Amino acid sequence: MKRIIWIILSSGFLLVSCKKESNKNEDSEAIAKNSELKAELLNKQLKAGYGEERSETDFNNYTFEETDLTISNEILNDYLKKNGFIPVENNVFAEKIKNVFNRTLDYNSDKTNVILNFSNPCNRDLIFNKNEGDELNDYCIYISKNQNFISELFSIPEILDYQKTYPESAKLESSLASESNGIKIYKWSEKQNLANLREQNLKKILNRNKYLFNDDNQSFVWLQKNDKYFLESLVKTFGYVKDRQLLEFVFTNQKFINNPNLEDISPLLWHKTCDEKLVFHKETLDLINEKKNKTEYFIFLNDEYLRFIDKSELPISQKAEIIANILNFIALNSEENNPFSNMGFFAENFDGGRKTEGKYSKEFIKHNFYNLKDFKKQWKDAKVDGDGVAYPGNIE
């Protein structure tokens, strides 16, 4: 009996061992296959170089595809895991993407990559662009759904020390001619400061992800110094104003009062969604209200910015909503003896006079004064008082 039990246990042990060995072999084969695919893509990129020159004109002869992005993301994902990024669950990642970029991820779809077009956020077509400062190409960031991080598209030499990791590919590159048929190829091995560029690229991806998904304050500090465009775009392109620390950084770095180009400050105060809905940023006014010179901001908004909005090409419904929010906020937070004086000036000069139910009055009434605190009474009083000379209005 004991002998039978021993045989059964031994057989079970052998089966488990064989299964583990089989899985180990399969993993090794998969890793080897993946490494082979990376080497093939790397060789393709090395043959193209980082650019070409023909007749003293530089151009790029390499067309990026989703395979380039997929391999780039695999390299980046490995770097993130080794350098302090803590991966988050699908629901956490999707919620953050929704809050920051107003994009809804569908984990049931077969898409593994989703684009965030910083140049045109409402264009969601998946294109493959490297961000090289070329104004002709959109600045694009990509969401990796199967790895839960955001990335950019890089050539392998820009994020991996290929000469160390793939020495055979480095030998191939050294054997390539630098010029053929009048076309000069710029080799990656000859690119100046490639190692520094590689380090900066990796740190940029690492700190963007640690800031957004790990709430890492050190990464936020790093981005302020090294990736200002990314932080500003979160607020001014995507309308993400829920992070007070971020909003304050972007606000501080934007000339506001007496800015000759008032379009520059509009993204701090409101934005429109891709379906043309207006979203007003009360968070920015709350920030202004805490400043010692808030009255100076209020005067600028009332005297300059509301005039700019009135003359803009926005539909009247959206003009009215922006104006109502600003006038109401100033009235609620003004420390002057007459908190409605600014509103009265606007009512008299931009709403057809004190005895007229002008275009803004009609919009305010139509939208129930946007349910803004005390705004209905404020506006009625402003219509009566105007710029200070009492004259009955006609709004009941």
Side-chain angles (χ1 to χ4, degrees):
M1 184 67 180
K2 290 183 179 179
R3 180 177 176 82
I4 294 174
I5 294 175
W6 182 84
I7 291 173
I8 293 173
L9 292 175
S10 298
S11 299
F13 176 77
L14 288 172
L15 286 172
V16 172
S17 298
C18 289
K19 187 174 182 179
K20 287 184 177 179
E21 187 65 28
S22 175
N23 290 340
K24 184 177 180 181
N25 290 336
E26 289 177 3
D27 290 343
S28 298
E29 290 175 5
I31 292 172
K33 181 64 176 177
N34 184 265
S35 181
E36 182 180 333
L37 291 174
K38 287 179 183 176
E40 289 178 3
L41 182 62
L42 173 61
N43 291 344
K44 182 181 175 183
Q45 293 179 354
L46 292 177
K47 289 176 181 177
Y50 67 86
E52 292 187 354
E53 178 187 319
R54 178 188 293 163
S55 302
E56 299 183 353
T57 300
D58 292 342
F59 66 96
N60 192 339
N61 71 329
Y62 188 87
T63 301
F64 288 92
E65 301 174 349
E66 190 157 17
T67 301
D68 296 271
L69 178 61
T70 299
I71 296 297
S72 175
N73 280 349
E74 288 180 4
I75 296 170
L76 291 171
N77 187 45
D78 185 57
Y79 176 83
L80 291 176
K81 289 180 178 178
K82 293 177 180 178
N83 288 273
F85 174 64
I86 303 172
V88 295
E89 298 296 327
N90 289 354
N91 62 322
V92 176
F93 185 75
E95 182 180 7
K96 194 71 174 185
I97 292 295
K98 177 65 176 178
N99 290 340
V100 177
F101 301 106
N102 196 29
R103 294 292 296 275
T104 301
L105 299 182
D106 180 8
Y107 281 95
N108 293 319
S109 77
D110 57 0
K111 290 183 179 179
T112 57
N113 297 301
V114 175
I115 193 170
L116 293 169
N117 192 323
F118 276 45
S119 303
N120 184 5
C122 295
N123 182 357
R124 299 181 176 183
D125 295 335
L126 186 59
I127 56 176
F128 303 103
N129 282 350
K130 286 175 62 175
N131 300 326
E132 298 181 307
D134 184 354
E135 294 182 358
L136 297 178
N137 291 323
D138 290 349
Y139 190 99
C140 300
I141 284 180
Y142 302 90
I143 301 169
S144 175
K145 280 171 49 184
N146 58 349
Q147 296 160 320
N148 285 352
F149 71 93
I150 60 171
S151 68
E152 288 186 29
L153 174 57
F154 295 106
S155 297
I156 292 176
E158 294 176 302
I159 52 176
L160 183 71
D161 186 353
Y162 70 97
Q163 292 171 313
K164 179 180 178 181
T165 308
Y166 293 97
E168 292 301 318
S169 295
K171 289 181 182 178
L172 170 66
E173 182 186 32
S174 64
S175 70
L176 297 173
S178 297
E179 187 169 340
S180 176
N181 298 322
I183 300 176
K184 183 178 180 180
I185 299 174
Y186 299 133
K187 293 185 178 182
W188 281 103
S189 59
E190 299 171 354
K191 185 174 178 63
Q192 291 185 348
N193 300 318
L194 179 59
N196 291 336
L197 173 65
R198 183 184 301 134
E199 181 182 13
Q200 193 71 5
N201 288 337
L202 292 170
K203 285 185 176 180
K204 179 171 60 176
I205 300 302
L206 175 66
N207 284 289
R208 285 176 179 176
N209 282 281
K210 290 179 70 176
Y211 163 63
L212 284 178
F213 307 110
N214 295 164
D215 296 323
D216 191 300
N217 192 62
Q218 289 185 340
S219 288
F220 177 60
V221 172
W222 188 93
L223 292 169
Q224 289 179 64
K225 297 177 181 178
N226 300 279
D227 200 6
K228 183 179 175 182
Y229 172 76
F230 174 75
L231 293 180
E232 289 184 338
S233 295
L234 297 182
V235 173
K236 300 177 72 174
T237 301
F238 294 96
Y240 179 54
V241 292
K242 300 301 182 184
D243 185 329
R244 178 57 180 267
Q245 197 175 17
L246 170 64
L247 177 60
E248 191 160 4
F249 169 75
V250 176
F251 184 90
T252 302
N253 283 274
Q254 171 68 64
K255 180 177 175 61
F256 198 96
I257 297 177
N258 298 326
N259 188 326
N261 186 4
L262 293 175
E263 288 186 4
D264 287 347
I265 67 174
S266 287
L268 291 172
L269 294 167
W270 55 271
H271 76 277
K272 290 203 286 185
T273 61
C274 293
D275 56 0
E276 292 296 306
K277 292 181 180 178
L278 181 84
V279 179
F280 189 79
H281 301 166
K282 181 179 177 294
E283 294 85 350
T284 300
L285 295 184
D286 288 334
L287 190 154
I288 289 174
N289 196 44
E290 294 179 4
K291 295 187 175 295
K292 293 180 180 180
N293 63 333
K294 69 176 185 179
T295 300
E296 188 178 354
Y297 281 92
F298 289 168
I299 292 173
F300 171 74
L301 286 169
N302 186 73
D303 292 351
E304 301 294 334
Y305 190 71
L306 295 189
R307 190 186 305 271
F308 164 75
I309 290 297
D310 176 68
K311 293 181 178 179
S312 74
E313 296 182 358
L314 289 169
I316 182 61
S317 60
Q318 294 182 347
K319 289 182 182 181
E321 185 174 353
I322 294 168
I323 289 168
N325 274 277
I326 292 175
L327 287 175
N328 172 249
F329 191 90
I330 291 174
L332 289 175
N333 295 281
S334 175
E335 296 176 356
E336 302 298 326
N337 292 329
N338 182 6
F340 308 127
S341 59
N342 290 335
M343 196 180 297
F345 177 85
F346 185 88
E348 181 165 337
N349 291 278
F350 293 91
D351 197 51
R354 279 170 267 169
K355 295 196 69 176
T356 302
E357 188 179 280
K359 57 183 180 181
Y360 291 114
S361 289
K362 291 176 181 178
E363 286 295 322
F364 297 163
I365 294 169
K366 178 181 177 181
H367 293 91
N368 194 29
F369 293 86
Y370 309 99
N371 295 315
L372 293 170
K373 180 182 178 181
D374 298 335
F375 184 48
K376 182 176 181 180
K377 181 180 184 306
Q378 292 169 357
W379 184 250
K380 288 178 68 176
D381 291 345
K383 288 291 286 186
V384 171
D385 292 342
D387 59 4
V389 180
Y391 195 90
N394 66 347
I395 293 184
E396 301 298 333

